[in-house]
Amino acid sequence: MSGSNGTDESPHEHDDARAENVGSTAESAREAEGASAPTERFEAVDPHREVAEAGSVTEPQAGEATEPGAGSVTEPQPVAGETPEASGPAETQVDEPKTEAMAAPQAPTEARSDGTDQAAPTGADEPPTENVHPSEAPTAVIPVVAPGNRAPDGSSAATDRLLRSQGEQDPAQPGPAQSGPEEPGAPVPPTSTAMPSAAHPPQGDQPTQQMQVGPPPQGPPPVTPPPTGGPGGSGGDGDEPGRSGSNLPRRTIALVVGGVVALLAVFYVADLALSSGKVPRGVTVAGVEIGGMSLDAAEAELTEQLTPRLGMPVDVTAGDTQGQIVPSEAGIGIDWPATLDQVGSQPLNPFTRLASFFGNDEVGVVSTRDEVALSAAIEKAAAAAAHEPREGNIVFEDGTPVPVTPQPGQQLDVAVAGDVFAERWPYGDVSLPVESVDVTVTREGLDRALAEVAVPAVAQDLVVRGLDGAVGVLPRDAVGAVLSFVPDGLGGLEPQYNTEAAIGILAPQLAPSETEPKDARIVLDGGRPTIVPSETGEMVDWPVTLEKLPDLLKEEGDRSTDAVYKKAEPELTTEGAEKLGIKEVVSEFTTSGFEYASGVNIRLAAQEINGAIVKPGDTFSFNDYTGPRGAAQGYIESGIIESGRPGKAVGGGISQLATTLYNATYFAGMEDVEHTEHSYYISRYPAAREATIYDGAIDLKFRNPFDTGVLIQTIGTSSDITVRIWGTKTVDVQSVTGNRTNFTSPNTITLPAGSACIPSSGAQGFTVSDTRIVTDARTGAQISNTTRTVRYDPVPIVKCISPEPEPSDEPSGGGDDATSGDTGSEDAEAEDAPAPAPESPAAEAPAAGGPEKE
């Protein structure tokens, strides 16, 4: 046990006394239980020795009036019947209480393993011994106070302190002290020395067992001198566990803590009471601070601050596009009750209330929304924000390759964007979420294609050498028409070469070196068909010539190559022409009665189709074969039907050639594919067996169903047109025309006199049918029997009224056309006509009411 001897707080040096080993066979149960405890040694001292500075033992420390000094203790007598062990290191058996002289410090001694004592070093400036394991520490010396050293109340101060410290532990636990180190300077109950028994000798460095007198100690005794000074006694800390001096600081701390808690509780209750019925502290709505306000004041403040924002434009960002939306125009309003409800009530959590002093709690606005107006506003923004992804590419501008940087596309989800705008509009800047549409071409792939393909391709011209010194050049500034790029799916660009475009540039330059093939022709020489032999041509084989185009466009040196030629066979060879079997006239048909302008147009079109060959199985188209029939081709204005009455247009009158061709193919046994009758009947043409034509609108088509070909021959004069079909005659054709029925009367039309008015006497409309019977020319067997029924509209009576009445209201002449000079004598030639009718080519189209036909 350590302490301070006197008031000078000098450390009391312990004596480590070792007595002779006294053998003993007796061992108490208490010794057995304490066998593992470190031995505490007692030194017998002279009871009559004066205790130096005894006053310091009984006088309490300043500030500790209730605590006796811990400088000395009274040693109780050993338990009766205990006999010291004879084995182990030499120790002194205590038979009676001894007192330790306190007048002068005793030099502590250490017990050596050879049984001798060695004086421990001393010195006033030596620091206290550091804490070590009790089994390795020097033996503590317990001083014994003389009977005369009493407290003023007649008791020993040390005994009183000992009883006080023992009172803190349960007397019902007489066993060994609990394990754990004891704080230096803590009081320890006296113990009696017990020697190890012969049956249990100490093992090596095992400490000697001690018997405890009285209540068990709180732990092994300290083995180092305690630090001097400190409250609760001379030489110990008053706040260490197990010391009576620690009660005061603990109570003080408890009182301070309790006071602080009570103060905080008072503050909490006061704050809660003062803020009752108000908006929680730190609350903001769309940036408007309303914390601590009453609900009415908060509503008024929010109304004043937020209502104007409904009419102010809100900046809207959607990906890489910007715009503005006015909330009120987008159907947005403020739900004031819901907004105030979400402000919340006063929080009860003290930590939440404390945190409200140092921050804000943004709760936002609850908006009302007109879904139709909101969707319309967002869709407008979505249309502006959405754009397709732009893949990386390379284009050519004036022969220079220009990279097109890849740009991802984006699109806006209208529903999600509407929710975001309805929530974020009060803050004045809304970012709408967009979905990005990725591109596949990377910048690295773009740069690689530019450096490795595009730039070399335009470095110089490409030259193709042909026969007879002909040269074709693909200029470097025209490479962009041939070279293009597409994504390769791996982040790069794949070059593509348009050979057709290259041929379009090079072929005209090499055309003089080529020989075009010529088809075999069948001419009518001396009234008989004659075959003109075909000619084989020699043309540039462009696919083979340009096969190495990608490599040629990468050449750093001479970029030239030779054109590869091949034989070009004609479509109709001499042998093929002979197999067509065109040797005789199989059918012929003639029409007449056209006026001059119509005759010009008819003869031009007839020259276009003259000599046309229709191979077996092929279909002939009048419009395709003649091509456009306008003023540029030499056609002039002539009669047509316009809006159900006679009119004029360039190329008019050709319907007469169409009718003549139709009848020739009709009797040749050709298959009718497409044809259209006139809207009203013209007496020059056979009823239900005629056709009209109109450039780009109404066509005449027939198909050759035979194994031999046919040739079309046209013969035109100033008054008639004839079409002959040459081939091999295999069928006979008969036409049977039915009776006319269902007559209808014409209407009268009155128009202002002038060039736009062509008078007409009109004619009845009717219905008639035609039956074609086809038989085998060799056997006479019937092959087909087809009937076609046609309904003709009445020819209107057209009257041209001058500003001044004319002497007579009769139509002038009643001929085919007001400009033709034809007379009504031609009408009389149509014996089956029920009434005179204008038969001018001007009336050669259906009266469909739209633009009229030829």
Side-chain angles (χ1 to χ4, degrees):
M1 186 171 192
S2 62
S4 177
N5 186 16
T7 60
D8 57 355
E9 298 183 358
S10 61
H12 177 72
E13 301 293 343
H14 299 285
D15 294 333
D16 189 358
R18 301 196 181 269
E20 298 292 337
N21 288 338
V22 180
S24 176
T25 59
E27 183 176 85
S28 65
R30 186 182 306 272
E31 290 174 303
E33 294 177 5
S36 62
T39 303
E40 192 169 295
R41 306 177 186 275
F42 291 83
E43 181 182 344
V45 297
D46 187 357
H48 301 288
R49 181 181 301 175
E50 293 292 328
V51 179
E53 299 177 6
S56 63
V57 176
T58 57
E59 292 180 4
Q61 296 286 340
E64 295 183 54
T66 59
E67 292 292 335
S72 63
V73 294
T74 302
E75 297 289 339
Q77 293 291 338
V79 180
E82 289 185 357
T83 305
E85 297 287 344
S87 61
E91 294 195 10
T92 303
Q93 179 178 351
V94 181
D95 295 331
E96 60 183 0
K98 304 292 183 178
T99 60
E100 181 181 5
M102 305 298 289
Q106 299 294 323
T109 61
E110 289 185 40
R112 300 175 58 90
S113 60
D114 57 359
T116 63
D117 295 338
Q118 179 178 352
T122 62
D125 297 332
E126 182 180 355
T129 305
E130 294 183 2
N131 292 336
V132 296
H133 193 281
S135 63
E136 298 177 359
T139 304
V141 177
I142 309 300
V144 180
V145 181
N149 191 6
R150 302 286 183 175
D153 58 357
S155 63
S156 170
T159 303
D160 181 70
R161 178 165 182 164
L162 176 62
L163 294 177
R164 288 170 62 89
S165 63
Q166 291 176 351
E168 296 178 2
Q169 61 185 23
D170 188 359
Q173 304 295 333
Q178 297 180 1
S179 63
E182 183 176 328
E183 296 293 333
V188 215
T191 59
S192 61
T193 303
M195 305 302 294
S197 64
H200 301 279
Q203 302 294 326
D205 294 336
Q206 179 179 353
T208 306
Q209 297 182 6
Q210 298 177 357
M211 295 302 297
Q212 203 172 26
V213 178
Q218 295 299 316
V223 295
T224 57
T228 60
S234 59
D237 293 335
D239 57 350
E240 295 177 355
R243 295 179 61 91
S244 60
S246 65
N247 292 335
L248 180 58
R250 287 183 176 178
R251 286 195 299 269
T252 301
I253 293 173
L255 289 174
V256 172
V257 172
V260 172
V261 172
L263 182 61
L264 292 175
V266 171
F267 176 79
Y268 170 80
V269 173
D271 181 62
L272 186 62
L274 291 175
S275 60
S276 177
K278 297 181 179 179
V279 176
R281 186 169 36 251
V283 170
T284 62
V285 176
V288 180
E289 297 182 0
I290 59 172
M293 295 183 179
S294 65
L295 293 179
D296 292 340
E299 182 176 4
E301 179 69 13
L302 292 178
T303 302
E304 180 182 356
Q305 296 290 336
L306 298 183
T307 300
R309 299 186 191 180
L310 289 171
M312 300 171 60
V314 174
D315 293 333
V316 175
T317 302
D320 55 6
T321 61
Q322 292 82 32
Q324 289 185 332
I325 297 178
V326 178
S328 60
E329 296 177 359
I332 295 295
I334 300 177
D335 188 340
W336 294 110
T339 300
L340 293 174
D341 285 345
Q342 75 176 8
V343 166
S345 58
Q346 289 291 331
L348 299 180
N349 189 319
F351 297 103
T352 302
R353 300 186 67 83
L354 180 62
S356 66
F357 284 99
F358 308 101
N360 292 329
D361 181 16
E362 172 62 40
V363 299
V365 173
V366 179
S367 301
T368 61
R369 47 199 285 181
D370 181 340
E371 295 296 341
V372 175
L374 179 60
S375 296
I378 298 299
E379 285 175 358
K380 184 177 180 181
H387 58 76
E388 295 296 326
R390 184 183 67 193
E391 285 287 3
N393 200 357
I394 298 175
V395 297
F396 295 87
E397 296 179 0
D398 298 330
T400 302
V402 178
V404 178
T405 305
Q407 179 180 357
Q410 67 179 25
Q411 56 187 7
L412 192 65
D413 188 326
V414 175
V416 175
D419 294 338
V420 172
F421 182 79
E423 178 183 356
R424 299 295 303 171
W425 70 266
Y427 303 97
D429 189 359
V430 180
S431 294
L432 301 180
V434 295
E435 297 178 0
S436 178
V437 182
D438 294 334
V439 293
T440 61
V441 178
T442 64
R443 182 67 195 191
E444 294 76 10
L446 177 63
D447 294 341
R448 184 169 55 254
L450 182 67
E452 297 178 1
V453 181
V455 172
V458 298
Q460 53 185 315
D461 297 339
L462 172 65
V463 178
V464 180
R465 295 185 297 265
L467 298 175
D468 303 327
V471 175
V473 178
L474 176 63
R476 56 182 300 275
D477 58 1
V479 169
V482 177
L483 176 60
S484 61
F485 296 87
V486 294
D488 62 4
L490 300 176
L493 288 173
E494 178 183 358
Q496 289 190 334
Y497 300 89
N498 187 347
T499 56
E500 294 298 326
I503 294 172
I505 297 173
L506 295 170
Q509 302 177 59
L510 293 182
S513 68
E514 296 179 308
T515 301
E516 293 282 349
K518 294 181 179 180
D519 290 341
R521 293 180 298 120
I522 301 177
V523 297
L524 300 173
D525 187 9
R528 302 290 301 174
T530 303
I531 297 177
V532 178
S534 62
E535 295 181 7
T536 301
E538 189 175 28
M539 308 293 292
V540 176
D541 189 347
W542 287 111
V544 176
T545 301
L546 298 178
E547 186 177 8
K548 297 181 180 179
L549 181 62
D551 295 331
L552 289 172
L553 292 178
K554 294 180 182 178
E555 291 288 343
E556 295 182 358
D558 180 28
R559 290 187 181 177
S560 62
T561 186
D562 293 330
V564 178
Y565 290 82
K566 68 176 181 178
K567 298 295 182 181
E569 297 295 333
E571 292 185 9
L572 180 60
T573 64
T574 303
E575 294 78 7
E578 293 174 350
K579 293 179 180 179
L580 288 178
I582 300 175
K583 58 185 180 180
E584 58 185 332
V585 176
V586 296
S587 70
E588 179 179 335
F589 197 81
T590 301
T591 62
S592 60
F594 48 79
E595 50 94 21
Y596 170 77
S598 295
V600 172
N601 295 335
I602 290 172
R603 286 187 291 270
L604 281 174
Q607 292 175 4
E608 294 290 336
I609 66 174
N610 184 48
I613 296 176
V614 184
K615 297 177 182 178
D618 285 357
T619 298
F620 175 88
S621 168
F622 189 98
N623 284 341
D624 290 347
Y625 209 91
T626 63
R629 301 183 294 271
Q633 289 77 32
Y635 293 88
I636 62 176
E637 188 178 71
S638 184
I640 63 170
I641 295 177
E642 184 176 7
S643 300
R645 59 186 178 84
K648 289 187 177 183
V650 174
I654 299 179
S655 291
Q656 185 160 345
L657 176 61
T659 296
T660 306
L661 177 62
Y662 172 75
N663 278 272
T665 59
Y666 177 96
F667 289 104
M670 297 294 108
E671 179 183 335
D672 181 23
V673 176
E674 177 184 336
H675 90 280
T676 304
E677 291 85 0
H678 288 85
S679 60
Y680 51 80
Y681 177 66
I682 299 173
S683 60
R684 313 194 280 277
Y685 308 147
R689 210 177 68 230
E690 45 86 18
T692 187
I693 197 78
Y694 192 81
D695 190 8
I698 301 175
D699 201 359
L700 169 64
K701 295 180 180 180
F702 64 90
R703 176 180 175 272
N704 180 8
F706 304 113
D707 296 333
T708 58
V710 295
L711 179 145
I712 301 174
Q713 181 186 14
T714 62
I715 304 171
T717 68
S718 60
S719 59
D720 57 32
I721 182 69
T722 299
V723 175
R724 291 175 183 169
I725 304 298
W726 292 77
T728 299
K729 187 174 180 60
T730 58
V731 297
D732 291 324
V733 177
Q734 180 183 3
S735 173
V736 179
T737 303
N739 296 326
R740 301 178 182 183
T741 60
N742 302 325
F743 291 98
T744 55
S745 299
N747 297 325
T748 300
I749 301 175
T750 301
L751 298 173
S755 60
C757 181
I758 301 175
S760 170
S761 59
Q764 287 183 315
F766 58 91
T767 300
V768 66
S769 63
D770 176 79
T771 301
R772 185 173 80 156
I773 303 172
V774 180
T775 58
D776 187 277
R778 186 173 56 86
T779 64
Q782 181 173 304
I783 298 175
S784 64
N785 187 320
T786 306
T787 299
R788 181 180 181 90
T789 300
V790 180
R791 178 183 177 275
Y792 290 107
D793 295 333
V795 179
I797 300 173
V798 179
K799 295 182 179 182
C800 299
I801 305 301
S802 299
E804 296 180 2
E806 296 182 358
S808 174
D809 293 334
E810 294 295 326
S812 59
D816 290 350
D817 194 296
T819 63
S820 66
D822 295 339
T823 63
S825 60
E826 295 182 358
D827 294 339
E829 298 176 1
E831 298 179 356
D832 55 351
E839 300 170 7
S840 166
E844 298 180 0
E852 280 304 324
K853 289 75 183 172
E854 303 166 16

